[in-house]
Amino acid sequence: MITESDNDSAKALIKQLHDLGEIDHLNAGLRDLDLGTLQVNGTDPQSGANWGIGQITMTSLDTARLLLLVNGGRGVLWRTAGGKPVRADVLSPDARGLFLGLLADQGWNDILTTSNWCGRSYPTQGIPSLVAERWVDPGTGTVTVADKAFGQDVRPCNEAAEVSFAHKTGFTYNYLADAGIVRSLNGEDGARGYGGAPQGDYIVVMMSNLGYRYSDPRQAAVAQPVCGDDPGQDEGVCYTEKFAALGRAVDDILRRR
């Protein structure tokens, strides 16, 4: 579900939570952390499906706070509306390690980062991040995720990468999101920042209703949907490169200030 955004895996996980009687406990626990708009409601206990609009909710701020828990840090990370301090020990070190490992293995690097399109002038380069080795063909250096072949040798970009990006994407015809933890690969040795995190670390969350029904002017003549592998559709580029430009701008500001 996390590394290649597989919906069947997501349904299986939600069904398991229903089977264990944990859905209500999950939602209550999130509300207790002041993440009351991060909720899973209305899903089918038998299949894990029925993802209704307005039933499963997640805001950018809640997502950032959830990632802050996963990333960890010293002291109070935030306080709830009632004044309760929230610290990283809400998650065990093993749980944080599990989540960080899965997020770091993300295969879809084509929104805020465009490392999967390494070497192409379009789309523009986003966050200059690594591509997880599990997706890189050792012979050609190309990446294939969930049957989508990107066709570019990403090894030069991995060698030149400045950061790691442990993230999760979400995408439909009408919706697009990318959120994760960025860590510098070239920072000062031993430098530590706020909360004891390595200097240059930051969390970025982008949520938008600009799904793959929207693209760039160069694809204006292409019949919908623009997300495909046909010649004339810029060989499978799904999303406007404005997201990659946004990712690069955020990275430039936060890591080099």
Side-chain angles (χ1 to χ4, degrees):
M1 181 188 72
I2 291 177
T3 61
E4 57 183 285
S5 202
D6 179 74
N7 286 344
D8 288 337
S9 297
K11 292 174 186 176
L13 178 56
I14 292 172
K15 182 183 183 305
Q16 185 177 32
L17 288 170
H18 277 294
D19 291 345
L20 295 172
E22 289 293 330
I23 289 288
D24 290 342
H25 181 248
L26 168 69
N27 287 332
L30 291 169
R31 289 193 298 269
D32 188 55
L33 296 173
D34 228 10
L35 305 180
T37 52
L38 177 54
Q39 298 284 288
V40 179
N41 293 304
T43 53
D44 180 5
Q46 302 303 314
S47 66
N50 192 32
W51 303 348
I53 295 173
Q55 297 295 307
I56 298 179
T57 56
M58 191 172 192
T59 67
S60 294
L61 180 58
D62 284 344
T63 306
R65 282 178 163 176
L66 184 63
L67 289 168
L68 185 59
L69 285 176
V70 171
N71 189 50
R74 298 191 209 129
V76 177
L77 300 181
W78 73 85
R79 292 183 182 274
T80 68
K84 174 184 174 180
V86 178
R87 297 181 173 85
D89 60 6
V90 169
L91 295 175
S92 70
D94 286 345
R96 286 202 303 275
L98 173 64
F99 280 120
L100 283 169
L102 291 171
L103 292 168
D105 267 352
Q106 176 60 238
W108 297 104
N109 300 290
D110 60 342
I111 303 176
L112 290 179
T113 174
T114 48
S115 296
N116 283 6
W117 293 121
C118 178
R120 287 180 51 162
S121 60
Y122 176 78
T124 189
Q125 184 185 35
I127 297 172
S129 61
L130 288 167
V131 176
E133 288 296 328
R134 65 174 287 182
W135 304 107
V136 182
D137 184 287
T140 64
T142 59
V143 169
T144 300
V145 185
D147 297 325
K148 181 176 177 64
F150 286 86
Q152 297 294 123
D153 188 345
V154 302
R155 291 172 294 189
C157 289
N158 269 2
E159 292 177 3
E162 299 176 36
V163 299
S164 63
F165 187 23
H167 64 124
K168 175 70 179 77
T169 64
F171 46 89
T172 69
Y173 185 66
N174 297 309
Y175 176 81
L176 190 66
D178 197 355
I181 301 163
V182 179
R183 290 182 174 176
S184 176
L185 299 175
N186 303 310
E188 297 177 16
D189 291 341
R192 310 298 288 184
Y194 176 77
Q199 187 174 18
D201 278 18
Y202 66 89
I203 289 168
V204 59
V205 180
M206 183 283 296
M207 292 186 176
S208 171
N209 65 351
L210 301 180
Y212 62 82
R213 62 177 171 162
Y214 295 100
S215 191
D216 297 306
R218 64 187 289 159
Q219 301 208 59
V222 176
Q224 292 183 344
V226 298
C227 183
D229 298 306
D230 298 333
Q233 294 190 15
D234 280 301
E235 299 178 9
V237 176
C238 296
Y239 316 112
T240 171
E241 65 178 353
K242 296 290 187 181
F243 291 113
L246 174 64
R248 188 57 188 255
V250 169
D251 187 69
D252 287 341
I253 292 169
L254 293 182
R255 287 200 305 117
R256 299 185 175 95
R257 62 181 176 177

